[in-house]
Structure formats: structure tokens, C-alpha cells
Amino acid sequence: MSSLSNKRIILGVTGGIAAYKSAEVVRRLQDQGAEVRVVMTPAASEFIRPLTMQALSGHPVHSDLLDSEAEAGMGHIELARWADLLLIAPASADFIANMVHGRADSLLGAIHLATPAKVAVAPAMNQAMWIHAANLANIETLQQRGVALIGPDEGIQACGDVGPGRMEQPDTIVSRAGSLFQNGQLAGKKVVITAGPTREALDPVRYISNHSSGKMGFSMAAAAIDAGAEVTIVCGPVSLPMPERCDVISVVSAADMLEASLASAADADIFIAAAAVADYRASTVAKQKIKKQDDSMTISLERNPDIVSAVVQANPTVFVLGFAAETQDVETYARDKLQRKNLGAIIANDVSRTDVGFNADENEVIWIDRTSSVVFSKRSKAQLARDIIEHLAKGLPN
Ligand code: C5P
């Protein structure tokens, strides 16, 4: 599997004879599991029909900044935000100069300015144009800004000249695009992640729960998606926006979470238990709202099933990563859970601190497995999740 699986790519096509090869680029990107949207400049449409690109990409081709119909669908800012990579192939000398000056007088120019995504250009032009000092200076400026340069290739040109300036071959462009993503470490893997708290009903209006926000589980999901995995989140009640590019199964109680987890984990490679599952639930759930009567009341509770242990038992080959949220003796309790629940590894974190852990945006944790432990010092949950996923992926059997 490829590092482009799950990746969203805008293929920008500018005017040049090499534009006919961009149809092949669409296909090769899709072969690698990427989703492709095509944006063409008006000059590109003189070389290859937008209909061809539409049929290949399976989506309407965007070309006009002032197209109200297209803007009503996926507007240019939305499209710019959607992408993981803006790949311009072929990139004409003119468009490269436009990029240098940050011009937004075409849809592609506007997307180039608005996108937070990586940007790569595969130039295509006559050899004399390529080696012109103005063009080489433009290329250098783009590279200094972090734009990746793919090619150009050397050889016979459409005009009969021989030299540098031919667009790279589609296969090379696609493999270079793939190498822009460090990830791909979990390409082809199915990852199931539990996240958030569970809610255990006492009666139709009340429940027992905890302060878990679901942020750590969602960050783990985002990192796994980025790493190319197929992700399912089994999610308790949270107030976070649901991530895209994964399946989300919303559950309420631990019993629901157990059922959804066992079903999803049956064909999974990795199971990550980031949920803060309620340890106990009411022995009986009152059918009607419980009325206040005496000065005190006693609620009888019973143990909830241990979801992660059930998954380990049902799927001995799945790699299982647990979390241990503790307020004291963090490492000791975590090691105990690692053994008792027979986990592949556990992430220990101290939830007595207010600057990290529950509800915070940052966390500081220790990864503990059978043979080693690694401290991940304080960092954002998003970064931490990427680092944990990278560490996990390195240790997986191929
Ligand atoms: O609650 P506890 O500290 O035992 O949680 C340790 C690990 O076990 C966590 O990964 C948590 O998601 C998982 N767990 C579970 N089902 C439970 C309790 C905990 O999957 N009922």
C-alpha cells in the first residue's frame, strides 16, 4: 500500500502540451488510493478537455474563479482547505511566475494562495525557457518557500529541441508526490479506536459518566488516518466535531461500546482503547424518573465489561494499545494493566494535573510495552498522537 492512500489531492493543470499526460497522473494517483480533484487553467483546456479529466477523476473539473455554480458546490476556499496536496502538473513557466508573485487572478492561483496543503510543481516548458535566469530564479523562490520541485526531465521536446524542461513521467510524479508524505506507515491497516466517556443511565434523565472529552481518541484517529489507515472510531458522547475520512459508530453505554468494538475489531489490525469507560453501571435502570424521597439514597452498581480485555480475548492477533489515566503511581498501575489486560502496549498518563490530560489540549505520557518504555514529553495531543502512531507503526510486524 502507498503513502498516498486516503490523501486528498488537487491536481492543477496549466497550459502546455504535457497536459495530456496529466490524465495519466490522475489515474496513477487514484491507483495509489488518493482522492483527486482537478483544477484547470483556461489555457490547459486548450490542450486537454475538462470532460476527460472529469470522467477520470469522477468529479466536476474546477476552472473558473467566478463560476457561481461551482462556488455553490465546493467553493475555492473550501477546496483549498480540503486538500492534503496541491500538485501542479504540468506547471507552465507563466504559472510558476504567477505563483512567485502570489497572483490570484485564476482559480488555481487563488487555491495556491489559500491552501494550507503541501504544494508541488512538475514544470513543463521549452528548454530555453527553463534555463532562463528569470525562470530559474522563480523556481528557487518557490523552493525556498517549501514548494516541492518534481523534475523536469531532459530529452527531446515537442518543439524539437533537446534539453531540460520536459514534464516528468506520470509514475515518477506520483512516486515523488507519495514521498512528500512521511506517513503511509499504517497504509493497508485497519485501526479501531474507542474514544470519549460512556454514559450509564440511572433513569430516563440521569446518568453516571466522567470528564473524558474524547480529544485524545480523536487525535489518535486523525494521526492514524494521516498514516494511511482505514479507521473506525467507536465513540461515546462527546461534543467534538466528527472527523472525516473514517467510520464513526456513536454509542452511549459501555455495553453498547463493547458490542460495537467487538464487531469492528473482528478484522482489525490495531485496536486503540482511548475511551474512559465507566467502571460501573446501575444494577437496574429505573423506568421512570427517580423521585427524591429520603435525605440519602443508595444506588446499587455493578461492574461494566472490560472492553479492551474482551477485544484481546476475541482477537489474539490484533495489536492492542490501552490507555491508563491515573492520579497516582501512574507507571505502576499502568504496568499492572498492561499485564492484567494482556495488552500490546499501554500509554500511561497522569490525570491529576490540570495542564495535561483530561479536557486539556496537551498531554505528557509514557509508552510502556513488555520490553521498553518511552517518555513522550508535554506536547499537543495532535502531535503526541502522531508520535505515538509513528512509534506504534515502527514496532508492528510487516
Ligand atoms: O479504566 P482503566 O484504567 O482500567 O482503563 C485502562 C484501559 O482499559 C483503557 O485503555 C480503557 O479504554 C480500557 N477499558 C476498557 N473497558 C473498560 C475499562 C477500561 O476498554 N471497562
Side-chain angles (χ1 to χ4, degrees), residues 194 273-275 277 279 305-308 322-323 326 337 341:
T194 66
V277 184
D279 291 329
D306 195 295
I307 298 168
V308 75
F323 278 75
E326 303 293 345
K337 278 175 198 170
K341 303 192 184 202

Side-chain angles (χ1 to χ4, degrees), residues 95-162:
F95 194 77
I96 287 168
N98 273 308
M99 288 172 78
V100 168
H101 292 284
R103 294 191 62 152
D105 50 0
S106 66
L107 177 64
L108 192 54
I111 289 174
H112 162 240
L113 288 190
T115 192
K118 300 172 200 295
V119 180
V121 290
M125 64 193 75
N126 166 269
Q127 56 85 24
M129 292 169 75
W130 172 255
I131 59 174
H132 193 285
N135 179 64
L136 293 179
N138 285 342
I139 291 289
E140 196 178 329
T141 304
L142 291 186
Q143 285 186 291
Q144 278 165 2
R145 286 185 201 153
V147 173
L149 178 67
I150 304 179
D153 198 4
E154 288 198 31
I156 300 182
Q157 304 203 298
C159 54
D161 279 8
V162 178

Side-chain angles (χ1 to χ4, degrees), residues 13-329:
V13 185
T14 71
I17 185 61
Y20 80 94
K21 287 194 202 164
S22 49
E24 188 66 16
V25 175
V26 174
R27 269 280 185 257
R28 295 283 84 82
L29 289 170
Q30 289 171 329
D31 290 347
Q32 302 296 310
E35 193 184 336
V36 184
R37 301 285 169 102
V38 178
V39 176
M40 296 174 73
T41 62
S45 313
E46 301 291 330
F47 292 91
I48 185 163
R49 303 272 302 149
L51 197 58
T52 307
M53 302 304 267
Q54 174 170 327
L56 289 173
S57 67
H59 295 279
V61 168
H62 303 254
S63 39
D64 191 353
L65 190 55
L66 304 175
D67 180 343
S68 52
E69 202 177 305
E71 286 294 301
M74 198 192 268
H76 65 283
I77 300 293
E78 207 183 330
L79 193 58
R81 285 201 197 114
W82 168 88
D84 298 309
L85 170 66
L86 170 62
L87 169 63
I88 303 170
S92 65
D94 177 55
F95 194 77
I96 287 168
N98 273 308
M99 288 172 78
V100 168
H101 292 284
R103 294 191 62 152
D105 50 0
S106 66
L107 177 64
L108 192 54
I111 289 174
H112 162 240
L113 288 190
T115 192
K118 300 172 200 295
V119 180
V121 290
M125 64 193 75
N126 166 269
Q127 56 85 24
M129 292 169 75
W130 172 255
I131 59 174
H132 193 285
N135 179 64
L136 293 179
N138 285 342
I139 291 289
E140 196 178 329
T141 304
L142 291 186
Q143 285 186 291
Q144 278 165 2
R145 286 185 201 153
V147 173
L149 178 67
I150 304 179
D153 198 4
E154 288 198 31
I156 300 182
Q157 304 203 298
C159 54
D161 279 8
V162 178
R166 283 159 52 106
M167 187 170 88
E168 269 297 0
Q169 292 307 316
D171 279 344
T172 312
I173 293 176
V174 171
S175 90
R176 284 289 315 283
S179 68
L180 297 176
F181 296 95
Q182 309 274 293
N183 266 316
Q185 299 140 323
L186 291 184
K189 303 282 184 208
K190 177 174 176 186
V191 180
V192 178
I193 301 174
T194 66
T198 64
R199 242 179 223 178
E200 311 301 329
L202 297 176
D203 69 16
V205 292
R206 302 183 182 93
Y207 56 81
I208 303 173
S209 191
N210 59 62
H211 290 298
S212 169
S213 63
K215 281 182 190 160
M216 195 63 223
F218 276 43
S219 300
M220 293 297 290
I225 293 165
D226 250 17
E230 179 200 331
V231 174
T232 300
I233 308 180
V234 182
C235 175
V238 294
S239 48
L240 298 173
M242 286 299 149
E244 295 179 353
R245 288 186 262 182
C246 64
D247 290 330
V248 180
I249 305 175
S250 294
V251 296
V252 177
S253 67
D256 301 338
M257 189 175 272
L258 174 69
E259 194 185 325
S261 298
L262 284 174
S264 310
D267 59 349
D269 301 286
I270 298 163
F271 184 83
I272 299 176
V277 184
D279 291 329
Y280 291 91
R281 64 177 170 222
S283 307
T284 52
V285 180
K287 287 209 165 47
Q288 305 300 335
K289 184 180 170 191
I290 302 168
K291 303 307 262 180
K292 52 180 170 294
Q293 285 169 342
D294 304 327
D295 285 348
S296 67
M297 74 178 285
T298 306
I299 300 168
S300 165
L301 300 175
E302 63 184 35
R303 278 290 283 273
N304 259 331
D306 195 295
I307 298 168
V308 75
S309 302
V311 167
V312 170
Q313 265 184 0
N315 307 278
T317 57
V318 72
F319 180 87
V320 178
L321 175 65
F323 278 75
E326 303 293 345
T327 53
Q328 56 178 348
D329 294 332

